[in-house]
Amino acid sequence: MGYFKTKHQKHSARLTTVIMLLLILLLFIVGPGYMDPPLEYGVAVNFGTTDTGSGAIQPKKPLASQSTPVSEPVVEPVKAAPPVESSEPAAAEEVLTSEDLESIAIKKAEAETAKLKADADAKVKAETEATAKAQAEAKAKADAEAKAEEERLKKEADIKAKKKQELDALMGGIGTDDGTDTGSEGDDDTPGDKGQLNGDPYAPSYFGSPGSGNGGVGYGLNGRGRPSKTKVIPDCDEEGKVVVEIHVNQKGNVVKAIPGKRGTTGDICLYEAAKKTALTHKWPADSKAPAKQIGFVIVDFSVRQ
């Protein structure tokens, strides 16, 4: 019975043989090399028979026992080149011990603690300065507000005092002179209380004769007689009394009227009618009268009128 029955088996056998021959040939050509003699492994130890020795001549056999040391040829040492001087000192080699490490750790911890303390102190200082600055600003603001309020109150007091002085001057100053009071009032340069003993202490006029009546209309204008007037009806159904300040010229005409003065009890809707009513007042002309004489009129309003 044959091994290769088919054509393909024969071709495979030939191909396999060729490949095997090529492999064997390659092993001889490019195979791994070897050392002759082979490399030795381990540590080479110098030959000797004693634990101590000196010199440069190696004996080939064991030495006989000697009572004196064998003199060795003196070999002059080779002089080393002089060291090159360096501008920087050589760093000394330090050997760190456990104590050094502990000291370094302690110093490092102390440095960190000092840094933390410095940071905390800086923070506290900054907060303290900020608080002090805020308190100083608040105090300065409060002082400024208090000073402004004080100045405002003083200004208001001065305005009130000035108004009171003007009102006192407008209403005629002090009362009737009985020879016991002190003061000076008038429009002359000579000190004294200008007016008449039977005059009205609240009248600004220093001339003429006292008027008659109860002074309910046109008071403060004594000596000018009784005025003529026309009543103006207001637009609202309100009752009340409106005091109007009037300015009268020498012709007896009211050139200015200001309603709502002290003593007014009527509603504000009555002011316009009271002003128009005051402007209708007409006093007799008087060339001796001041260019502007100030007085007051009271206008009463009633829903039954």
Side-chain angles (χ1 to χ4, degrees):
M1 183 172 89
Y3 291 100
F4 307 108
K5 295 180 179 180
T6 64
K7 179 177 63 173
H8 297 291
Q9 290 177 348
K10 293 177 180 179
H11 289 312
S12 297
R14 294 190 190 99
L15 183 59
T16 302
T17 302
V18 173
I19 291 173
M20 290 299 295
L21 292 174
L22 290 175
L23 289 175
I24 292 170
L25 182 60
L26 287 174
L27 287 175
F28 282 103
I29 296 174
V30 297
Y34 62 94
M35 298 298 294
D36 187 17
L39 295 175
E40 294 181 357
Y41 298 94
V43 178
V45 180
N46 190 15
F47 172 77
T49 57
T50 60
D51 294 333
T52 60
S54 63
I57 300 174
Q58 174 65 55
K60 302 299 182 181
K61 296 181 180 181
L63 295 177
S65 59
Q66 299 176 3
S67 58
T68 58
V70 178
S71 61
E72 298 286 341
V74 178
V75 179
E76 293 184 0
V78 180
K79 293 183 179 181
V84 180
E85 294 183 359
S86 176
S87 59
E88 297 181 359
E93 182 179 359
E94 296 181 358
V95 179
L96 297 179
T97 63
S98 59
E99 294 180 356
D100 295 334
L101 294 175
E102 183 178 358
S103 177
I104 293 174
I106 292 174
K107 291 182 179 179
K108 185 176 181 181
E110 291 177 351
E112 292 179 354
T113 304
K115 183 179 179 181
L116 292 175
K117 185 176 182 301
D119 293 341
D121 293 342
K123 184 176 181 181
V124 171
K125 183 179 179 181
E127 292 177 354
T128 303
E129 291 178 353
T131 303
K133 184 178 180 181
Q135 292 177 351
E137 291 178 353
K139 185 176 182 302
K141 183 178 180 180
D143 293 342
E145 292 178 353
K147 185 176 180 181
E149 181 67 14
E150 183 180 356
E151 292 178 353
R152 186 184 67 81
L153 294 176
K154 183 179 179 181
K155 187 176 181 180
E156 289 182 356
D158 293 342
I159 293 175
K160 289 181 180 179
K162 185 177 180 181
K163 287 184 177 180
K164 183 177 183 301
Q165 184 179 4
E166 292 176 354
L167 182 61
D168 290 343
L170 175 66
M171 299 304 294
I174 62 176
T176 302
D177 184 10
D178 57 2
T180 61
D181 205 352
T182 59
S184 180
E185 189 270 333
D187 56 0
D188 295 332
D189 296 333
T190 304
D193 185 11
K194 185 177 181 179
Q196 300 179 12
L197 290 176
N198 59 350
D200 185 353
Y202 298 103
S205 178
Y206 301 109
F207 60 90
S209 59
S212 60
N214 57 8
V217 176
Y219 63 92
L221 294 171
N222 290 342
R224 300 298 294 263
R226 298 189 64 84
S228 61
K229 61 183 182 297
T230 303
K231 187 70 170 290
V232 177
I233 305 301
D235 296 332
C236 59
D237 295 334
E238 296 289 342
E239 292 185 349
K241 176 178 67 175
V242 180
V243 179
V244 185
E245 177 185 324
I246 57 174
H247 297 188
V248 182
N249 59 16
Q250 290 180 341
K251 296 180 180 179
N253 298 323
V254 177
V255 296
K256 186 176 182 180
I258 306 173
K261 293 298 179 178
R262 184 175 182 180
T264 299
T265 60
D267 191 84
I268 193 172
C269 68
L270 303 175
Y271 284 13
E272 186 64 25
K275 179 179 179 180
K276 291 179 180 179
T277 299
L279 290 173
T280 64
H281 284 61
K282 172 69 176 177
W283 276 267
D286 191 338
S287 60
K288 297 181 180 181
K292 181 179 69 175
Q293 190 175 10
I294 300 175
F296 299 88
V297 294
I298 299 175
V299 183
D300 290 315
F301 293 98
S302 174
V303 295
R304 295 183 299 275
Q305 62 188 359

